[in-house]
Amino acid sequence: LGREVLMKWLTPEEMIDLTGYRQYQKQLEALNQMGIDYKRRPDGSLVVMADDLLVTKPKEVRFTING
């Protein structure tokens, strides 16, 4: 049968708690600096999915071995 999926995103208050800022531009800068994924709504506001904060993504590491 059908399975309901609930996607939880951060509230405006949670965005302030996460970034430490109330202003949109400062929140955007903080999210970029922290490497947190976000989406922009058509009205320009930011959406951060709660699940994106729980999953740690491996960082890409590049190196060259000179023989």
Side-chain angles (χ1 to χ4, degrees):
L1 299 176
R3 192 171 124 197
E4 187 176 325
V5 177
L6 178 63
M7 295 192 313
K8 165 85 170 89
W9 56 84
L10 299 186
T11 65
E13 294 80 19
E14 290 169 329
M15 284 288 286
I16 293 167
D17 288 343
L18 175 64
T19 63
Y21 296 106
R22 291 185 175 276
Q23 295 176 342
Y24 160 82
Q25 188 62 36
K26 290 288 190 180
Q27 289 177 345
L28 183 64
E29 292 171 12
L31 293 172
N32 284 328
Q33 189 175 31
M34 292 185 284
I36 296 174
D37 291 336
Y38 61 88
K39 301 288 184 205
R40 287 188 203 200
R41 291 182 175 142
D43 68 0
S45 62
L46 301 174
V47 176
V48 173
M49 303 307 294
D51 287 348
D52 288 339
L53 301 176
L54 302 175
V55 179
T56 58
K57 298 175 185 172
K59 292 184 180 179
E60 181 178 331
V61 177
R62 294 183 183 193
F63 59 92
T64 305
I65 300 174
N66 293 326

